[in-house]
Amino acid sequence: MMLPPRVRDLALRLDAEDALPAYAYDLGALTAHAAAIRDALPRSVEFYYAVKANPDARVLHTVAGHADGLEVSSSGERAHTASAVPGGKVAFGGPGKTAAEITAAVRAGTHRFHVESPHELRTLAEAARAAGRTVDVLLRVNPSGSGAGLGAGFGGVALVMGGRPSPFGMDLALLNACADTLASPGSGSVRLRGLHAHLASGLDADGLLASARTLLGFGRGWCSARGVRDPEFNLGGGMAVDYRRPDSVFDWARYGRGLAALVCPGETLRIEPGRAVTAYCGWYLSRVLDVKQSHGEAFAVVAGGTHHLRTPAAKGHDQPFAVIDVPGWTPGWERPATGTGSVTVCGQLCTPKDILASRVQLLRLRAGDLIAFGLAGAYAWNISHHSFLMHPEPTFHYL
Ligand SMILES: *Cc1c(COP(=O)(O)O)cnc(C)c1O
């Protein structure tokens, strides 16, 4: 894949300083990308960033400069976000919110709550009443039939979470139970503002627009029957990142035009992407430690591994990378190298699952060369099992 010269220069400098493996976040590229996303969306569509994709404080701060708010899914993320981006608008979602988390979020003045169940709604109503506050909620919905036609993402199989039995969101019966609770006397501490859905992950623009139509087709009628004026619809995230074609990005312009055609006067549409916002700004930089042949196949072992970059193991893909040739070789024996052909790139863990890229065609890879894995800015360091085998942690750098 294409390696920006500034990332290459950083990798060579870190190698000289013995500071590999390392993560590099290109904040300049992230600024440009987040600004382009905001520009591609109509003004009437709000752009929240899903913090779980990458909560790095400087990444958050950079994205927040171009987003309308941040979506968090735990008290930990909420407190961290409040300190990284003081005063930013926050939506609190996710399953299994505890009463203590809900109380703390109410006291903190959380902008929107995404409610996952009737029990959670009651807990929230009570916490709000006790705090003497009124909170604004979106009910997370899992509409029937919403999974149909959602499998057609680019870059592999979409992860569908709607339209089928799921711990996420509510089908019509539970949604109506929530509405009854909201209409009951004494529920004044909770204000219903609309619906939230996050039905699939890994969709292209047309797939996401189809999913938006499903939610709006159901949600407009449901909200108006429940007396919700100027409803809000949070369409979720799930914009695809294609790890096989790292240079092709989600078509934000097409998506933005589609949303502009969908939105009705008086209503607010909101999206909360994560992966497609930050994936591209992150690089995991490492050095090839060893190269050898095994039963006719070449293997390269790099410093670090999937305990730093779990993304390829979690998603089942080859992490795209660029090789940086390092000419110097000081040991007094022949430099280990692959021939022309394919090579499997793995890490230092004692498990056959520690594979970053499998049977990749390469001209040559030698011990001492550097590797820059791209698309490592989302669901990468923060989802990895850092302490397995107790190797040193990577160093972190910002461009
Ligand atoms: C994970 C998640 C997102 C972000 O998904 P991406 O695939 O990273 O865009 C948005 N909303 C909810 C509710 C989520 O769980």
Side-chain angles (χ1 to χ4, degrees):
M1 69 179 299
M2 292 268 293
L3 182 65
R6 59 191 178 279
V7 177
R8 182 194 142 88
D9 293 347
L10 175 69
L12 288 165
R13 178 163 69 71
L14 294 175
D15 185 36
E17 293 168 2
D18 206 15
L20 295 177
Y23 266 95
Y25 295 125
D26 189 342
L27 299 182
L30 179 59
T31 301
H33 185 53
I37 292 173
R38 182 55 272 183
D39 284 350
L41 298 169
R43 272 288 127 206
S44 53
V45 175
E46 295 181 0
F47 162 33
Y48 277 44
Y49 167 64
V51 170
K52 81 169 190 275
N54 186 343
D56 179 278
R58 295 183 62 181
V59 165
L60 278 190
H61 192 78
T62 304
V63 173
H66 300 276
D68 301 288
L70 299 163
E71 187 262 351
V72 301
S73 299
S74 72
S75 258
E77 281 188 353
R78 195 184 50 72
H80 170 74
T81 297
S83 77
V85 186
K89 276 190 191 163
V90 167
F92 184 21
K97 300 177 193 76
T98 66
E101 284 184 305
I102 288 173
T103 299
V106 167
R107 292 212 181 107
T110 299
H111 187 63
R112 290 289 180 273
F113 285 85
H114 299 162
V115 168
E116 293 269 351
S117 76
H119 167 64
E120 194 180 289
L121 181 66
R122 290 204 143 101
T123 309
L124 176 60
E126 200 162 294
R129 195 161 37 242
R133 302 231 185 182
T134 301
V135 295
D136 290 299
V137 309
L138 304 185
L139 300 175
R140 182 166 178 184
V141 53
N142 174 5
S144 346
S146 60
L150 287 186
F154 72 27
V157 187
L159 191 65
V160 178
M161 332 180 192
R164 58 167 72 160
S166 154
F168 307 115
M170 296 177 268
D171 52 24
L172 191 57
L174 295 189
L175 214 56
N176 287 338
C178 284
D180 293 345
T181 299
L182 287 162
S184 67
S187 67
S189 59
V190 178
R191 191 159 46 204
L192 177 61
R193 301 298 296 261
L195 298 177
H196 168 249
H198 173 69
L199 299 176
S201 212
L203 294 183
D204 63 11
D206 289 343
L208 276 169
L209 289 167
S211 145
R213 264 180 234 110
T214 303
L215 175 67
L216 295 173
F218 164 77
R220 283 178 179 142
W222 191 88
C223 282
S224 117
R226 297 292 173 171
V228 181
R229 307 208 2 202
D230 300 333
E232 298 177 9
F233 299 103
N234 186 320
L235 307 173
M239 294 70 184
V241 167
D242 190 343
Y243 291 89
R244 290 173 309 185
R245 293 183 303 150
D247 301 318
S248 81
V249 299
F250 181 82
D251 192 344
W252 289 101
R254 185 176 178 85
Y255 185 56
R257 283 194 303 273
L259 290 181
L262 272 182
V263 65
C264 285
E267 73 186 14
T268 300
L269 302 187
R270 189 175 296 134
I271 60 168
E272 49 182 20
R275 189 187 301 274
V277 180
T278 51
Y280 302 95
C281 79
W283 296 87
Y284 178 58
L285 310 171
S286 189
R287 178 194 307 119
V288 179
L289 298 174
D290 203 352
V291 171
K292 66 184 179 188
Q293 295 285 324
S294 170
H295 295 268
E297 288 195 28
F299 287 82
V301 181
V302 303
T306 54
H307 53 308
H308 295 169
L309 177 63
R310 193 167 159 263
T311 326
K315 291 264 293 170
H317 62 234
D318 294 330
Q319 196 69 22
F321 63 86
V323 174
I324 304 168
D325 276 348
V326 176
W329 176 253
T330 40
W333 54 85
E334 194 187 341
R335 188 172 184 182
T338 64
T340 313
S342 75
V343 57
T344 292
V345 181
C346 36
Q348 291 175 286
L349 301 183
C350 310
T351 158
K353 298 196 170 165
D354 189 22
I355 292 176
L356 294 155
S358 185
R359 295 180 178 149
V360 181
Q361 289 295 324
L362 274 190
L363 284 180
R364 182 188 66 182
L365 193 59
R366 302 166 300 183
D369 283 338
L370 307 186
I371 289 196
F373 293 94
L375 274 53
Y379 305 103
W381 168 248
N382 65 314
I383 67 157
S384 304
H385 43 298
H386 307 155
S387 50
F388 187 38
L389 261 85
M390 299 179 74
H391 284 292
E393 294 198 345
T395 58
F396 286 81
H397 308 271
Y398 302 86
L399 290 168

